[in-house]
Amino acid sequence: MTQCLFLCGGQVFLKLTVEKTGAFRFAWAFFRNLLVNWNFLASGLCMAVASCLWMYMLKRYELSVVYPMISISYVFGMLASIYIFHETVSFVRWIGVFMIMTGVVLIAR
């Protein structure tokens, strides 16, 4: 679950970054602005921690068990979209996430 929190955190920080940077351009100024954006740096740090935890999990457990477990990050992503970005999440999307989580429970047994 910790790996999923860092994975989701990386995506949240990345979304905050792209909301502030404006249109994407292949220009030095655009990439220089990314490198000094603390949200972008936080995203990279979260992704690095998530990757290290993922490598640990892969080393220790079967892929067929741990890979579906990262689907828990979908729930964290939905909650982040509501509480951080103030997005509206439809009931149908929640049903979809519930179905995915049901599958995770079945695999974990």
Side-chain angles (χ1 to χ4, degrees), residues 65-105:
V65 173
V66 294
Y67 195 71
M69 294 302 161
I70 62 173
S71 298
I72 295 169
S73 63
Y74 296 148
V75 174
F76 296 142
M78 296 285 266
L79 294 173
S81 72
I82 293 169
Y83 293 111
I84 296 172
F85 299 109
H86 307 290
E87 298 175 1
T88 302
V89 178
S90 70
F91 183 70
V92 172
R93 289 183 189 168
W94 281 113
I95 291 174
V97 169
F98 176 76
M99 292 172 71
I100 291 169
M101 298 316 303
T102 301
V104 168
V105 169

Side-chain angles (χ1 to χ4, degrees), residues 23-85:
F24 179 82
R25 300 180 324 268
F26 280 107
W28 171 246
F30 177 80
F31 291 105
R32 184 184 65 231
N33 287 338
L34 280 182
L35 294 176
V36 296
N37 185 321
W38 75 270
N39 286 321
F40 187 66
L41 299 174
S43 174
L45 182 62
C46 284
M47 295 294 199
V49 171
S51 295
C52 290
L53 290 170
W54 181 243
M55 287 187 286
Y56 171 79
M57 291 164 57
L58 287 174
K59 183 75 174 167
R60 201 151 166 168
Y61 304 102
E62 294 179 6
L63 179 64
S64 63
V65 173
V66 294
Y67 195 71
M69 294 302 161
I70 62 173
S71 298
I72 295 169
S73 63
Y74 296 148
V75 174
F76 296 142
M78 296 285 266
L79 294 173
S81 72
I82 293 169
Y83 293 111
I84 296 172
F85 299 109

